[in-house]
Amino acid sequence: MTLLEHLRRMARNNLWSNDRLYRAVLALQPGEFEAKRTSFFPSIKETLNHIIAVDRLYLDFLTDGGLGAAAYDTFVPFDDVASLAVAQADFDRKLIAFCDRLSEADLDRRVITDRREDGLIPERIGDILAHVFLHDIHHRGQVHAMLSGTSVPPPQLDEFLLDYDIKLREAEVERLGL
């Protein structure tokens, strides 16, 4: 498997993992989504909003969207989980489409990232994508842990890449068009 194939699988894993996580979050009791919790961001709501805000920032960098840091600065957090879930799924499908259009050579191509006072930093597309996936996994893990203190059990999020895993999640993979 090439690095590009792996990154494409990771983009699909993002959609699948977010779908599973959001189905759990959508089942929370009133008040649990925004309740204060112990984590890097102090609620499930704030953590999920952070994930999509950063996702949108990096996709702007990857596509030379021209917004730069403003892609993050102008992000308006979602107040309700249903709208946030739709927005995240839409983003995840855009990221899949972006990865599907890439060639192996594109992974070494550099795009400009706007680091505000630290300047405009050229970064490799392959490195940015790896960072986005690590960032999302990191914060999904925090939401997963926060769910442990709610009325909804956290879903399994690591059964995707292995052949054995696909058999376990075949219906979900099919429903998502993966």
Side-chain angles (χ1 to χ4, degrees), residues 33 45-46 48-50 52-53 56 72-80 83-84:
F33 176 59
K45 175 184 174 180
E46 289 178 63
L48 291 175
N49 270 291
H50 172 74
I52 194 167
R56 290 164 66 154
Y72 185 84
D73 298 338
T74 60
F75 173 75
V76 177
F78 291 85
D79 285 326
D80 69 289
S83 298
L84 184 53

Side-chain angles (χ1 to χ4, degrees), residues 108-145:
D108 286 326
R109 185 167 48 88
R110 291 184 178 268
V111 293
I112 299 300
T113 63
D114 179 358
R115 300 303 181 168
R116 294 187 178 100
E117 63 275 354
D118 291 330
L120 302 175
I121 311 296
E123 297 281 2
R124 291 177 57 252
I125 286 175
D127 292 340
I128 292 173
L129 286 170
H131 173 76
V132 167
F133 299 133
L134 287 172
H135 176 267
D136 289 358
I137 290 166
H138 168 71
H139 287 298
R140 273 195 305 264
Q142 293 170 342
V143 173
H144 191 270

